[in-house]
């Protein structure tokens, strides 16, 4: 369904994933197959640039966590500008989708999105 998204919805989806990760105190669970099975391009990119790192806590399954408080600040600032820099119509679309995502995210726990 990603191919049918407009620029506003795409920006909202990306910002939503980043905000969800930044809001989590213990990161997000890795896929069932572990870090190597990760297929979400957002998380792969964040791992690649070192903003997210794997953590293997003794008491739970592997998790993806933010590398530092600076990484959290940078990602949140970037997510905030995604919609703000769009033309008006696309900015409104982005804000609408972010509003919808907030509602659905409050009902579910943060976890990497399944591969499309």
């Amino acid at each position: 369904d990603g191919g049918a998204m407009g620029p506003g919805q795409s920006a909202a989806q990306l910002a939503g994933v980043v905000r969800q990760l930044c809001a989590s105190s213990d990161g997000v669970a890795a896929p069932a197959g572990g870090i190597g099975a990760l297929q979400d391009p957002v998380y792969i990119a964040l791992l690649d640039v070192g903003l997210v790192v794997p953590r293997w806590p003794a008491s739970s399954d592997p998790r993806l966590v933010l590398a530092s408080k600076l990484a959290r600040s940078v990602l949140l600032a970037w997510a905030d500008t995604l919609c703000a820099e769009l033309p008006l119509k696309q900015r409104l679309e982005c804000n609408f989708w972010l509003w919808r995502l907030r509602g659905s995210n409050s009902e579910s726990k943060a976890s990497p999105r399944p591969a499309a």
Side-chain angles (χ1 to χ4, degrees):
D1 189 35
M5 281 192 251
Q9 186 177 1
S10 296
Q13 290 286 340
L14 185 54
V17 169
V18 169
R19 287 178 176 178
Q20 187 177 23
L21 174 65
C22 291
S24 173
S25 61
D26 62 346
V28 295
I35 303 295
L38 187 65
Q39 293 185 15
D40 186 311
V42 174
Y43 288 109
I44 290 172
L46 293 174
L47 272 166
D48 190 40
V49 298
L51 292 171
V52 172
V53 295
R55 178 174 293 160
W56 289 270
S59 62
S60 67
D61 293 330
R63 303 196 64 77
L64 298 172
V65 298
L66 291 164
S68 65
K69 290 180 183 178
L70 178 61
R72 180 184 311 275
S73 296
V74 167
L75 284 171
L76 284 173
W78 177 73
D80 287 344
T81 63
L82 279 175
C83 287
E85 293 182 349
L86 292 172
L88 180 61
K89 182 179 176 192
Q90 295 168 352
R91 185 177 337 137
L92 293 172
E93 178 188 15
C94 183
N95 287 325
F96 168 76
W97 283 105
L98 281 173
W99 173 76
R100 288 201 52 195
L101 287 170
R102 274 186 218 122
S104 66
N105 286 343
S106 66
E107 299 168 4
S108 66
K109 193 168 180 157
S111 63
R113 299 178 321 219

